[in-house]
Amino acid sequence: MLEAVLAQAYLVAQGDRELWIHYSRNNNRFGLSRYRSEAWTRTYTLSAIDASAAGGLLENRIAKRGTRTGIESTFRATDEMMQRLDGYKGELSHRARETIVLRTGRGDDRRSVDYEDNDRTRSMRREVQIVNEARKSVVFAIEGHGVFQTGRPVVLPIRDRETGILRDQFFGSWHSDGYRVFQEDFDHHGRFYGPWQSLPKTWRNRILIDGEPTVEIDLPSLHPSMISALAQYRLEGEPYDFGDCERSIAKKVFSASINGTSGVAYETARALAKRAGTKEWGDFMPMANTIISDMKKRHGPWVPYLGKGLGNTLMNIDSDMIMGADLDLLNRGVVGFSIHDSLLVKERHRADAVEILHDRLSMTLSRLSGWNGYVSGCHLKSVLQEAPGPSLPLCPSSASLALLDPSSFPASENSRTLRMRFILPEDQQNTLFPENSSEVSGETASDWNGGHIPSDLARSVYREQRRRGLKQAEVAALVGVSRPHLANILNGKFGASAETARSIRRFVLAEAITVRSFGLVAS
């Protein structure tokens, strides 16, 4: 225990000498559970901290008992301790924590709670273990800042927004073990967390995996797409284009409307006030009401789902989706790092990530809409029964969206088709095909497995060839066929084998940006 306390103080001090480590001296905060080893008892922990402080290795600030101020005791390394360990080169190991975490409460009252394992929690734990072990097999680094070593602090220069001065900021100690956090039960929240997620986006753009550049594939407007699927509503254009406000504010309004249960206007006003850095949310009620009114006019089918507190439920569904995508990548021999609703992979694996996200997103939105609005765990049943639209079939609460067989779901009463598009980089020289020049149909790019090539996919091949400045012979070499044979395939004279079809699809998607849902349309 003494070694663990000193190691934690040392690592934090290496990152930021001004940081204090919080701990509790309240006996109620201790005790055996799945989140602590036998060594982390109140007696062992306080003895280690107090002895280290007495020996001059730690500064220890003990909070007054019985004050109920919410202020905890804190400790940090002293200069003497850091001088003694100056130049320490030993290896620090990281002991993986419980990877399936269940929490309850909000704010200062939020805490991890114990639970009884069942088939679902054991299955989720195995999935997390699989991706954690895979991530240990790769070398994670940031260009210009070296390799991240397990147990070592991550310190990066961040520019201060007010002064513009670069200052070193501590982002914790590095390890590749992630974990999932659920709220109240296993049907809410469930997002995957790991140290790489705390890195600012400006630095994530410079991440290297095994020395290779990476790309982060994001799913834009994911929750608006999910709500639209539930409502069997075709989402046209930019979902946050409503009200006389910038996109970031519209996004806050939508988020507050989906997450809140105390009234849409109240939750929206609180979110706007928080963004403005004030607690006077009442001043923002008129603005909130105006923006909400505009949102309802633009997206009428969303209305029954607002103010229902569905945010954690949507996160639960998209978390299962991203976990499934992580496992799909591993099946292709690709190690990815999930960042909430996006995937970070090597640049050369971009097409794999985009294809997999397309399949997972299509499966998720279809189950939310075309198959009578299936939702993992069926915990939306009571909410959705109040709303017009699909009804929910009964299903086992332990079901995982990523593992269910689609054939077990009834067909939708309304005949609808989910429209997906792969988003490709803009063609700066595009004059031949201006309409949908940066998109290719998801059905075309994913479902064509040979035979005569669909015309829109052939156009996408020509477009990508031109955009990348390639000759047709170079494209043919990448696909693995002769130039005349490729020309005949693209002209529709010859069909393509399954292997050639896959190579052509991968050529088109090699630099794809993301995948987007364009909603459900009558078929």
Side-chain angles (χ1 to χ4, degrees):
M1 175 52 63
L2 179 62
E3 291 85 350
V5 168
L6 293 178
Q8 187 174 14
Y10 171 68
L11 288 172
V12 171
Q14 273 196 316
D16 189 337
R17 294 297 300 274
E18 300 301 316
L19 286 181
W20 291 82
I21 300 170
H22 291 251
Y23 74 101
S24 176
R25 302 181 75 92
N26 188 329
N27 194 49
N28 293 330
R29 295 294 184 94
F30 291 86
L32 296 180
S33 76
R34 65 176 62 249
Y35 306 109
R36 296 189 184 93
S37 68
E38 294 184 4
W40 287 95
T41 64
R42 181 177 185 273
T43 300
Y44 289 157
T45 302
L46 300 190
S47 296
I49 295 173
D50 293 344
S52 299
L57 300 179
L58 294 180
E59 293 181 66
N60 187 23
R61 299 193 306 196
I62 300 176
K64 293 182 179 180
R65 297 181 60 183
T67 57
R68 295 186 177 275
T69 60
I71 299 176
E72 291 186 317
S73 300
T74 56
F75 68 85
R76 67 181 179 186
T78 60
D79 290 340
E80 180 181 348
M81 174 181 171
M82 298 306 293
Q83 289 170 3
R84 289 190 187 186
L85 294 176
D86 184 37
Y88 174 71
K89 300 296 183 182
E91 289 192 8
L92 296 172
S93 62
H94 174 262
R95 181 174 181 177
R97 65 197 302 176
E98 168 61 64
T99 56
I100 303 299
V101 179
L102 181 61
R103 289 180 178 164
T104 187
R106 301 286 179 182
D108 293 337
D109 295 327
R110 195 179 186 202
R111 57 191 176 86
S112 299
V113 295
D114 207 350
Y115 56 88
E116 291 187 11
D117 270 318
N118 54 36
D119 289 343
R120 185 183 181 190
T121 58
R122 284 187 285 268
S123 175
M124 292 190 296
R125 190 176 293 111
R126 284 194 297 271
E127 291 174 349
V128 174
Q129 182 181 5
I130 289 170
V131 296
N132 282 346
E133 288 300 318
R135 286 168 182 155
K136 291 177 183 177
S137 69
V138 301
V139 177
F140 196 96
I142 286 186
E143 184 180 3
H145 284 265
V147 173
F148 287 7
Q149 297 179 335
T150 298
R152 293 295 178 179
V154 177
V155 181
L156 296 171
I158 302 297
R159 192 172 301 280
D160 188 280
R161 291 183 179 180
E162 296 182 0
T163 64
I165 299 175
L166 284 175
R167 301 183 186 277
D168 284 345
Q169 186 169 331
F170 175 54
F171 291 96
S173 58
W174 177 255
H175 59 84
S176 56
D177 289 318
Y179 57 98
R180 293 186 69 178
V181 177
F182 295 83
Q183 184 70 25
E184 306 300 341
D185 57 41
F186 294 108
D187 289 330
H188 293 86
H189 211 286
R191 283 276 171 87
F192 191 99
Y193 291 93
W196 56 91
Q197 296 178 357
S198 65
L199 302 177
K201 195 155 190 175
T202 51
W203 284 107
R204 293 208 303 265
N205 294 334
R206 298 172 62 180
I207 288 174
L208 303 175
I209 298 178
D210 291 335
E212 297 185 38
T214 59
V215 60
E216 183 178 340
I217 307 297
D218 188 21
L219 291 174
S221 307
L222 179 57
H223 283 187
S225 297
M226 294 170 74
I227 290 295
S228 298
L230 282 169
Q232 294 195 341
Y233 159 54
R234 183 177 183 180
L235 193 59
E236 300 278 3
E238 167 58 53
Y240 299 117
D241 184 15
F242 56 80
D244 187 19
C245 60
E246 59 188 74
R247 186 180 189 275
S248 60
I249 293 180
K251 192 172 181 179
K252 285 279 187 184
V253 171
F254 171 80
S255 179
S257 301
I258 290 298
N259 288 310
T261 58
S262 303
V264 176
Y266 167 70
E267 295 292 344
T268 299
R270 286 186 59 191
L272 293 174
K274 183 177 180 180
R275 186 178 185 277
T278 177
K279 295 183 179 180
E280 301 300 325
W281 58 267
D283 296 340
F284 291 85
M285 283 296 286
M287 180 190 297
N289 283 317
T290 299
I291 298 175
I292 290 167
S293 177
D294 291 336
M295 178 175 66
K296 291 179 178 179
K297 290 178 182 177
R298 166 80 197 281
H299 302 295
W302 285 359
V303 173
Y305 304 92
L306 305 180
K308 303 290 186 180
L310 303 185
N312 277 339
T313 297
L314 299 181
M315 276 191 255
N316 185 267
I317 298 169
D318 71 47
S319 298
D320 279 349
M321 180 183 70
I322 295 298
M323 176 57 69
D326 264 325
L327 296 171
D328 290 345
L329 282 172
L330 292 180
N331 286 335
R332 297 192 185 189
V334 177
V335 177
F337 287 78
S338 56
I339 304 175
H340 302 315
D341 56 1
S342 65
L343 285 175
L344 181 79
V345 295
K346 294 177 182 178
E347 172 66 48
R348 63 187 174 95
H349 292 143
R350 176 196 290 263
D352 291 292
V354 173
E355 281 185 326
I356 285 171
L357 284 175
H358 166 270
D359 292 344
R360 285 288 170 178
L361 180 59
S362 177
M363 183 190 307
T364 299
L365 296 184
S366 292
R367 284 175 172 166
L368 286 172
S369 55
W371 292 336
N372 287 349
Y374 165 76
V375 199
S376 176
C378 295
H379 43 277
L380 281 184
K381 187 178 178 78
S382 60
V383 173
L384 299 184
Q385 282 178 338
E386 303 172 9
S391 60
L392 288 171
L394 290 175
C395 60
S397 60
S398 61
S400 168
L401 186 62
L403 302 176
L404 286 173
D405 178 7
S407 64
S408 64
F409 295 92
S412 172
E413 296 178 2
N414 300 318
S415 179
R416 292 172 180 268
T417 303
L418 182 69
R419 298 301 186 198
M420 307 283 286
R421 294 286 188 273
F422 290 104
I423 310 301
L424 306 176
E426 291 293 336
D427 184 358
Q428 300 300 324
Q429 303 176 14
N430 182 29
T431 57
L432 295 177
F433 311 109
E435 186 174 357
N436 292 331
S437 61
S438 61
E439 303 167 8
V440 59
S441 163
E443 293 84 353
T444 297
S446 289
D447 297 342
W448 179 58
N449 292 311
H452 285 84
I453 187 171
S455 58
D456 59 338
L457 185 58
R459 287 195 296 269
S460 295
V461 173
Y462 286 126
R463 175 189 174 280
E464 284 298 290
Q465 174 187 327
R466 180 178 60 254
R467 190 186 64 79
R468 300 183 207 177
L470 300 175
K471 297 180 179 179
Q472 193 171 62
E474 294 173 310
V475 177
L478 291 173
V479 172
V481 297
S482 67
R483 188 202 62 76
H485 187 54
L486 176 63
N488 284 327
I489 290 175
L490 297 179
N491 290 331
K493 294 181 179 180
F494 294 167
S497 67
E499 182 178 353
T500 300
R502 175 173 172 79
S503 296
I504 291 174
R505 296 200 317 268
R506 291 180 65 80
F507 168 75
V508 171
L509 300 179
E511 297 185 17
I513 299 171
T514 186
V515 59
R516 185 191 294 271
S517 165
F518 283 78
L520 295 134
V521 297
S523 58

